[in-house]
Coordinates of all heavy atoms in Angstrom, one line a residue:
I96 N -21.3 9.1 5.7 CA -20.9 7.8 6.2 C -19.8 7.3 5.4 O -18.8 6.7 5.9 CB -22.1 6.8 6.2 CG1 -23.2 7.3 7.1 CG2 -21.6 5.5 6.6 CD1 -22.9 7.4 8.6
Y97 N -19.8 7.5 4.1 CA -18.7 7.0 3.2 C -17.4 7.7 3.5 O -16.3 7.1 3.5 CB -19.1 7.1 1.8 CG -20.3 6.4 1.3 CD1 -21.0 6.7 0.2 CD2 -20.8 5.3 2.0 CE1 -22.1 6.0 -0.2 CE2 -21.9 4.6 1.6 CZ -22.6 5.0 0.5 OH -23.7 4.3 0.1
S98 N -17.5 9.0 3.8 CA -16.3 9.8 4.2 C -15.7 9.3 5.5 O -14.5 9.1 5.6 CB -16.7 11.3 4.4 OG -17.1 11.8 3.1
A99 N -16.5 9.0 6.5 CA -16.0 8.4 7.7 C -15.5 7.0 7.5 O -14.4 6.6 8.1 CB -17.2 8.3 8.8
S100 N -16.1 6.2 6.6 CA -15.6 4.9 6.3 C -14.2 5.0 5.6 O -13.3 4.1 5.9 CB -16.6 4.2 5.3 OG -17.8 4.0 6.0
A101 N -14.0 5.9 4.7 CA -12.7 6.1 4.1 C -11.6 6.4 5.1 O -10.5 5.9 5.1 CB -12.8 7.2 3.0
A102 N -12.0 7.3 6.1 CA -11.0 7.6 7.2 C -10.7 6.3 8.0 O -9.5 6.1 8.4 CB -11.6 8.7 8.1
A103 N -11.7 5.5 8.2 CA -11.5 4.2 9.0 C -10.6 3.3 8.2 O -9.8 2.6 8.8 CB -12.8 3.6 9.3
G104 N -10.8 3.2 6.9 CA -10.0 2.4 6.0 C -8.5 2.7 6.1 O -7.6 1.9 6.2
V105 N -8.2 4.0 6.0 CA -6.8 4.5 6.1 C -6.2 4.2 7.5 O -5.1 3.8 7.6 CB -6.7 6.0 5.7 CG1 -5.3 6.5 5.9 CG2 -7.1 6.2 4.3
T106 N -7.1 4.4 8.5 CA -6.6 4.1 9.9 C -6.3 2.6 10.0 O -5.3 2.3 10.7 CB -7.7 4.5 10.9 OG1 -8.0 5.9 10.7 CG2 -7.2 4.3 12.3
A107 N -7.1 1.8 9.5 CA -6.9 0.3 9.6 C -5.6 -0.1 8.8 O -4.9 -1.0 9.3 CB -8.0 -0.4 9.0
A108 N -5.3 0.6 7.8 CA -4.1 0.3 7.0 C -2.8 0.8 7.6 O -1.8 0.1 7.6 CB -4.3 0.9 5.5
F109 N -2.8 2.0 8.1 CA -1.6 2.7 8.6 C -1.6 2.9 10.1 O -0.6 3.4 10.6 CB -1.4 4.0 7.9 CG -1.1 3.9 6.4 CD1 -2.1 4.1 5.5 CD2 0.1 3.5 6.0 CE1 -1.8 4.0 4.1 CE2 0.4 3.3 4.6 CZ -0.6 3.6 3.7
G110 N -2.7 2.7 10.8 CA -2.7 3.0 12.2 C -2.6 4.4 12.6 O -2.0 4.8 13.6
A111 N -3.1 5.3 11.7 CA -3.0 6.7 11.8 C -4.4 7.4 11.8 O -4.9 7.7 10.6 CB -2.1 7.3 10.8
P112 N -5.1 7.6 12.9 CA -6.4 8.2 12.8 C -6.5 9.6 12.2 O -7.3 9.9 11.4 CB -6.9 8.2 14.3 CG -6.0 7.2 15.0 CD -4.7 7.2 14.2
L113 N -5.5 10.4 12.6 CA -5.5 11.8 12.1 C -5.2 11.7 10.6 O -5.7 12.5 9.8 CB -4.4 12.6 12.8 CG -4.8 13.0 14.3 CD1 -3.6 13.8 14.9 CD2 -6.0 13.9 14.3
G114 N -4.3 10.9 10.2 CA -4.0 10.7 8.8 C -5.2 10.2 8.0 O -5.4 10.7 6.8
G115 N -6.0 9.4 8.6 CA -7.2 8.9 7.9 C -8.2 10.0 7.7 O -8.8 10.1 6.6

Side-chain angles (χ1 to χ4, degrees):
I96 298 296
Y97 299 158
S98 297
S100 300
V105 175
T106 303
F109 293 102
L113 289 177

